Amino acid sequence: MRVIALALAAMAGCGGATSTGSGRERVELGKIPEGVLMREQQPRFSPETLMLASRESAEIWIPLALLSEIEADLVAIRKTYPQLAAFEVPIFMPDMLLVTLKPDAPFADAWKAGRLESGEAELDAALRHFNAVSVRRSYSTTVEVHFAQSLNLERLGPVIEATSPTIEMAFGSSNAIMGPELHRSKAADARTYTFIAGCGVPDGCTDRHTWIVRFAPGGGPTMRETITP
């Protein structure tokens, strides 16, 4: 018996899960929350902002308020610190979900051929709900599902997995990204951005350069810089 945890429904902004009569439960997708990123707003934000916000969002949909806060902070950092103005990080695609299918998935050939409709009602409903726009083969039995806007892929993956017993797993590509790093954390007393250049493993590294930029509530950025041989 395939069971969908109620937590998955909550992550999707849903009210719960109900029985389908087929031995497993169905995720209720509910309404799209207000004040979240949609395709029309996507071009307003930089790739770095979209990446950070997709990681931090507490739900699958990304709040516009969170995106606006991060975008304003990054603009202030680049204006204040020239050494960070041209800092570039590899950007994973927060609008693309990798989906690995089981060998017997009846819609595998359609997806590999670029046809988005799977013929499975729950899966197709979830893809429409989250604005999936295209699908294409990535490698082996894994395909790329592209969405019209960025989403929290870590939370989206389990919801998509739960819609079909022929999906092995669904996940974002962020774990495969290597190179300079950009991280953000937020607490009651500060918003902190950490920029890291240089590899993160000791062997073969010449140095690790770190800039930590902190915003106190109502204040501008302050920076601490370190170089680790």
Side-chain angles (χ1 to χ4, degrees):
M1 176 177 179
R2 183 182 176 88
V3 178
I4 300 173
L6 293 178
L8 297 183
M11 286 191 298
C14 312
T18 58
S19 174
T20 65
S22 60
R24 62 187 178 90
E25 292 181 333
R26 175 168 56 87
V27 169
E28 301 263 352
L29 293 173
K31 295 182 179 180
I32 298 174
E34 295 184 1
V36 297
L37 179 70
M38 302 299 288
R39 71 178 76 198
E40 295 83 5
Q41 294 96 10
Q42 178 99 351
R44 288 170 42 192
F45 302 101
S46 69
E48 293 86 357
T49 293
L50 294 167
M51 179 181 70
L52 291 175
S54 70
R55 294 174 184 167
E56 187 174 329
S57 176
E59 306 292 342
I60 294 173
W61 298 97
I62 304 175
L64 288 170
L66 173 62
L67 287 155
S68 297
E69 178 181 89
I70 294 173
E71 184 78 6
D73 285 350
L74 290 179
V75 168
I77 289 170
R78 291 179 178 127
K79 286 183 177 179
T80 306
Y81 305 109
Q83 61 270 52
L84 296 178
F87 189 93
E88 294 184 357
V89 295
I91 302 296
F92 82 91
M93 300 174 65
D95 57 0
M96 186 268 286
L97 190 71
L98 294 169
V99 179
T100 299
L101 303 176
K102 294 181 180 178
D104 61 346
F107 53 91
D109 289 341
W111 272 21
K112 290 175 184 177
R115 298 191 298 274
L116 186 58
E117 288 290 325
S118 70
E120 296 196 3
E122 287 184 52
L123 174 57
D124 288 339
L127 294 176
R128 287 192 297 270
H129 180 76
F130 293 109
N131 296 328
V133 292
S134 66
V135 62
R136 68 177 183 181
R137 183 174 183 177
S138 180
Y139 59 89
S140 185
T141 59
T142 298
V143 297
E144 301 173 2
V145 180
H146 294 261
F147 296 85
Q149 71 289 310
S150 300
L151 299 160
N152 183 321
L153 301 178
E154 183 178 350
R155 293 182 177 273
L156 175 63
V159 173
I160 297 299
E161 288 175 22
T163 62
S164 173
T166 60
I167 292 179
E168 188 72 43
M169 66 175 114
F171 54 97
S173 62
S174 58
N175 290 340
I177 299 297
M178 302 294 291
E181 303 170 36
L182 173 57
H183 304 280
R184 170 182 142 109
S185 62
K186 184 175 181 179
D189 63 341
R191 305 186 304 278
T192 303
Y193 296 79
T194 303
F195 299 75
I196 303 172
C199 66
V201 295
D203 295 339
C205 292
T206 56
D207 63 69
R208 183 176 172 87
H209 201 152
T210 303
W211 299 264
I212 298 174
V213 182
R214 185 176 182 272
F215 289 81
T222 58
M223 186 179 72
R224 177 165 56 88
E225 183 176 354
T226 63
I227 300 177
T228 305

